[in-house]
Amino acid sequence: MATLHIDVVSAEASIFSGEATFVALPGESGDLGILPGHTPLISRIRPGTLKVKQADGTEQNIFVAGGILEVQPHAVTVLSDTAIRAEDLDEAKANSARERAEEALRNTKEKADIAVVEAELAMLAAQAAAARKFSQKRSSH
């Protein structure tokens, strides 16, 4: 069976490194599905869920807060400021951080600062949605 080597790296640590048969993630222009032998590609990624179907048939789900994707025929590298394994996501913490960011947005007057806070809000909303989705999956099994 053909596989790809996948590396998912955040600013803090290596989140995942291993062999996979398929990777799906939110690309800048739409969702991407990557199989072994994929054409080389570099793309930005949006906040959302990266799914790795491992060579043994298991699946890893990782929340990425955006970043850069590099695809080579037999390797995929994802670089993200924030990457969190699905089992480590905490919806309550994401919602609490989102509430603090919304308060900061209400008190911000500078356009540059507003753009930064709005980007943070979008990332936190995606993180909370991913946490909610994965907690529902865990509770239904």
Side-chain angles (χ1 to χ4, degrees):
M1 171 188 323
T3 62
L4 292 158
H5 183 78
I6 312 297
D7 285 307
V8 180
V9 181
S10 76
E12 294 86 32
S14 173
I15 303 300
F16 178 85
S17 183
E19 297 299 310
T21 58
F22 180 72
V23 178
L25 66 154
E28 182 177 42
S29 300
D31 291 342
L32 296 168
I34 301 162
L35 291 165
H38 196 287
T39 302
L41 167 74
I42 294 177
S43 175
R44 288 188 177 127
I45 53 177
R46 300 182 327 264
T49 302
L50 178 140
K51 295 178 184 179
V52 178
K53 183 158 189 170
Q54 294 178 253
D56 66 4
T58 61
E59 190 174 282
Q60 282 281 338
N61 291 288
I62 302 165
F63 173 79
V64 290
I68 300 291
L69 163 73
E70 179 188 16
V71 177
Q72 292 297 323
H74 301 289
V76 173
T77 303
V78 176
L79 304 173
S80 181
D81 286 341
T82 301
I84 305 167
R85 291 178 188 272
E87 60 267 19
D88 296 332
L89 284 171
D90 186 324
E91 183 181 2
K93 283 183 182 176
N95 283 329
S96 175
R98 193 170 87 193
E99 288 169 10
R100 289 190 304 274
E102 287 170 346
E103 179 66 25
L105 183 60
R106 285 191 289 274
N107 296 323
T108 300
K109 304 292 184 248
E110 297 293 322
K111 284 186 180 180
D113 294 338
I114 289 171
V116 168
V117 175
E118 285 176 341
E120 178 79 3
L121 279 168
M123 186 275 297
L124 290 167
Q127 185 176 337
R132 187 169 37 260
K133 178 174 138 185
F134 293 122
S135 70
Q136 289 170 351
K137 279 185 180 180
R138 284 191 293 261
S139 63
S140 68
H141 285 129

